[in-house]
Amino acid sequence: MDNGNADGASDAGTDTPATHRELLLHDPADPAGPYAGGPWRNYFLILLDRIPTPIAVCRADGEVLIANPAMAAQWGTTPGQLRGHNLLEMFRPRAKEQLMRIAEAVRLGRRSRYPVEVQWHSAADGTEREGELTVDPVGDVSVQPPVLLAVLRGREAAPPARPRGSASPVEARILALAAGGATTAAIGTALGLTVDGVNYHLTRLARRWRVQGRTALVARAYVLGVLSPDAWPPSPA
């Protein structure tokens, strides 16, 4: 995976990448899971590299056997360097009971997907992230314990709430025209709004800022920094 394939340089033709083949020779649990037979192993490894979703194949105890570039990127490293690390040390589960369910499933040989709510510090952007790590025991049912396929789905952070004193670009332009003495009709003509549309925005601002009247709205806009204090005609800050 470090050089554009699943975990290292690939031999000529369709052979399994060298580092993967070496791993398979020394590990009875084939990381290719259900795709271990024939050429499917190679297709699985190539596909794994190209999937943008962070994915890792691990031992039953969480030790990483293979990780794709998207997973390694979460930690600011390469797939080869991620191998040998333990997922339980990389992600912080919200509820340890979820891990106990997976351990019990592995012990009983169950084949189901188990979602785990996790948090982690992403080296990609330096932020604290949270999301869901789906763990799926895979491989031949006769092989115990099975390998685990872990798929990470990050949760996008909610956009920051708009401060009470803020105003949208349209609202700021309405306030600037009002501060310059424009009538409601003139404001609507300048901005392509109806009179009702202008009044709608002014009413929403008055409720948000808890003021009454256009004069108070304009004064509040200057105090909150929505309008530039040193510009004439008035203009948004």
Side-chain angles (χ1 to χ4, degrees):
M1 283 187 284
D2 300 343
N3 299 313
N5 51 42
D7 200 10
S10 174
D11 292 348
T14 59
D15 289 346
T16 303
T19 52
H20 283 321
R21 185 172 60 252
E22 181 181 354
L23 175 64
L24 302 185
L25 291 174
H26 294 84
D27 196 322
D30 194 330
Y35 305 104
W40 292 105
R41 176 193 289 115
N42 304 316
Y43 300 151
F44 169 80
L45 298 175
I46 293 172
L47 179 63
L48 188 66
D49 275 356
R50 298 181 181 180
I51 294 177
T53 301
I55 298 175
V57 180
C58 315
R59 297 181 189 274
D61 61 3
E63 180 186 345
V64 176
L65 296 174
I66 295 177
N68 70 348
M71 178 66 85
Q74 295 296 321
W75 311 101
T77 186
T78 61
Q81 293 175 327
L82 203 60
R83 189 170 64 239
H85 289 267
N86 196 296
L87 281 185
L88 301 180
E89 299 173 356
M90 298 159 60
F91 294 100
R92 303 189 305 277
R94 282 183 174 272
K96 292 186 177 180
E97 292 80 7
Q98 294 177 316
L99 296 180
M100 295 173 62
R101 288 179 57 212
I102 297 174
E104 182 68 4
V106 169
R107 186 181 69 83
L108 298 176
R110 295 173 181 167
R111 294 293 194 269
S112 298
R113 292 180 180 176
Y114 299 90
V116 181
E117 294 292 325
V118 294
Q119 295 175 313
W120 72 100
H121 185 80
S122 174
D125 52 17
T127 61
E128 193 71 14
R129 300 286 306 279
E130 60 179 29
E132 181 181 271
L133 189 69
T134 302
V135 180
D136 190 356
V138 296
D140 193 313
V141 294
S142 64
V143 177
Q144 289 294 337
V147 292
L148 306 178
L149 180 66
V151 180
L152 178 65
R153 292 179 176 84
R155 188 171 295 117
E156 295 298 327
R162 178 182 294 175
R164 284 189 57 194
S166 69
S168 69
V170 172
E171 291 170 340
R173 292 175 66 190
I174 289 174
L175 289 168
L177 291 169
T183 65
T184 302
I187 294 174
T189 299
L191 300 181
L193 299 172
T194 64
V195 170
D196 288 342
V198 175
N199 286 330
Y200 168 78
H201 286 290
L202 291 173
T203 300
R204 287 192 63 188
L205 280 168
R207 289 174 178 171
R208 187 188 311 155
W209 294 348
R210 298 181 181 178
V211 298
Q212 293 182 346
R214 188 171 298 192
T215 301
L217 266 177
V218 169
R220 187 72 167 153
Y222 276 112
V223 170
L224 296 174
V226 174
L227 297 180
S228 176
D230 54 0
W232 189 266
S235 65

